[in-house]
Amino acid sequence: MRQKLTRRLIGAAAAIALAGASLPAQAQDFINILTGGTSGVYYPLGVAISKVYTDKIEGARPSVQATKASVENLNLLQQGRGELGFTLGDSLALAWQGNEEAGFRSKLDKLRGVTAIYPNHIQIVATKDSGIKTLADLKGKRVSVGAPKSGTELNARAILEAAGMTYKDLGKVEYLPFGESVELMKNRQLDATLQSAGLGVSSIRDLATSVPITVVEIPTSVVEKVGSPYVKSTIPAGTYEGQSADVPTAAVVNYLVTHSGVSDDTVYKMTKSLYESLPELAAAHSAAKDIKLENALSGMPVPVHPGAQRYFDEKGVKKQGS
């Protein structure tokens, strides 16, 4: 009798375990947010988004992962190793194409767009002592172009090519994250850094308060030669200590991206809570002030996730030109 009862209990427990294993909701409680280096803009904004999701999505268990940014984030999303990732628009377009030179072995066909966010301004900053004032002055100098095959490094290649240069024209090329680049500049081991980020990025602010800097212009002619998705932009005077005048540069739109395996309901809640919390995000970093609902689908180079599309349909947001 006792053995029969024991067998029944074991059988019941097994049935419950199997039933639980088939429930789809549990995995969606986890929202891993793929960002970038801790001294950039992606990371603090990712932390702010994580807090929003904790507060506004019932049962959500968000986490924030520091990464090498765009290219790594997109590859991780394709592998299902994250639910939300930051990326530059040109990296996203290249991922959808499967551009191997950019770091994508094949087309990342599981990627789905959530929303356009703020533009990344390509900011080339040199120490005053280096004598660098123009793009041409970078020839023969020690320059950091961002982590290897990061979105920033892809930007560096594009801008230099449009200016008639390659890495071979530089004296020394360092492939370093923002924070490490700045530390080398402070120690006079590096002349300049190219950083693709929101205005007021903490790494350059840190540099500008430590040594005199020059913010190098990217002329309109160079931006036009690169073409879409690059657009003309300006680094306003006073963005960094010692920067007394506006500096023309280039910008590329950033996006938040997910993958097709994340449920429609989860992505809907992620998108809705983000747009209902823009003041909190702007308080975390000034770059978030440029996130506008009307621009949410602007230039999106991959299919929009149905969950995000549901929110935009409710709000009457359409893709530009449609």
Side-chain angles (χ1 to χ4, degrees):
M1 185 73 177
R2 184 175 291 175
Q3 285 180 330
K4 284 183 180 179
L5 181 61
T6 302
R7 280 199 295 272
R8 283 178 190 166
L9 289 171
I10 291 171
I16 290 167
L18 287 170
S22 67
L23 291 173
Q26 293 302 314
Q28 297 304 337
D29 288 340
F30 295 98
I31 303 172
N32 188 27
I33 302 168
L34 306 168
T35 59
T38 54
S39 56
V41 178
Y42 288 175
Y43 186 81
L45 265 189
V47 171
I49 290 171
S50 173
K51 186 176 187 310
V52 165
Y53 290 169
T54 299
D55 294 343
K56 298 195 176 181
I57 302 178
E58 187 177 354
R61 283 176 271 180
S63 58
V64 180
Q65 183 176 338
T67 67
K68 293 176 183 174
S70 300
V71 176
E72 183 179 8
N73 292 348
L74 295 169
N75 281 311
L76 287 171
L77 287 171
Q78 176 73 12
Q79 297 161 23
R81 294 168 61 191
E83 283 68 49
L84 188 70
F86 287 77
T87 182
L88 279 163
D90 53 343
S91 299
L92 184 55
L94 292 167
W96 190 248
Q97 294 166 16
N99 186 306
E100 191 167 356
E101 189 178 344
F104 308 107
R105 292 182 181 177
S106 59
K107 177 176 177 172
L108 304 193
D109 58 354
K110 295 179 182 176
L111 297 178
R112 296 293 182 270
V114 176
T115 183
I117 42 175
Y118 63 91
N120 252 26
H121 300 265
I122 299 169
Q123 301 166 71
I124 302 175
V125 179
T127 58
K128 269 261 193 327
D129 287 350
S130 69
I132 297 169
K133 294 179 180 176
T134 68
L135 285 177
D137 293 336
L138 293 172
K139 290 180 179 178
K141 301 294 186 180
R142 302 166 298 177
V143 183
S144 178
V145 294
K149 291 189 174 177
S150 61
T152 290
E153 202 245 316
L154 295 179
N155 291 168
R157 289 173 186 264
I159 293 297
L160 288 174
E161 184 180 349
M165 290 188 283
T166 69
Y167 287 168
K168 291 179 182 177
D169 294 305
L170 306 177
K172 185 179 182 182
V173 180
E174 295 282 5
Y175 299 88
L176 297 170
F178 296 173
E180 290 179 38
S181 302
V182 163
E183 288 307 311
L184 287 184
M185 289 178 74
K186 289 181 189 176
N187 296 327
R188 299 172 185 253
Q189 295 173 277
L190 200 62
D191 299 308
T193 177
L194 182 148
Q195 303 197 0
S196 183
L199 293 174
V201 61
S202 62
S203 51
I204 298 178
R205 281 194 285 115
D206 175 34
L207 178 67
T209 57
S210 304
V211 298
I213 65 165
T214 299
V215 183
V216 180
E217 174 185 357
I218 299 178
T220 297
S221 58
V222 171
V223 182
E224 290 175 345
K225 190 168 182 181
V226 181
S228 179
Y230 293 78
V231 295
K232 294 181 291 181
S233 70
T234 300
I235 304 170
T239 299
Y240 301 107
E241 191 168 319
Q243 183 204 342
S244 58
D246 290 354
V247 177
T249 191
V252 184
V253 173
N254 284 288
Y255 293 88
L256 287 173
V257 186
T258 186
H259 62 82
S260 55
V262 183
S263 77
D264 292 4
D265 188 53
T266 296
V267 177
Y268 172 80
K269 289 175 182 175
M270 285 163 51
T271 310
K272 184 175 189 288
S273 59
L274 185 145
Y275 275 102
E276 289 178 350
S277 308
L278 291 181
E280 292 95 310
L281 300 184
H285 200 288
S286 58
K289 292 175 183 175
D290 288 329
I291 302 175
K292 313 281 187 197
L293 180 59
E294 60 267 28
N295 298 331
L297 299 174
S298 176
M300 181 69 75
V302 298
V304 179
H305 193 286
Q309 188 64 58
R310 178 180 146 202
Y311 177 74
F312 298 135
D313 288 345
E314 287 178 3
K315 293 295 182 180
V317 178
K318 297 187 181 298
K319 200 162 187 175
Q320 290 181 1
S322 63

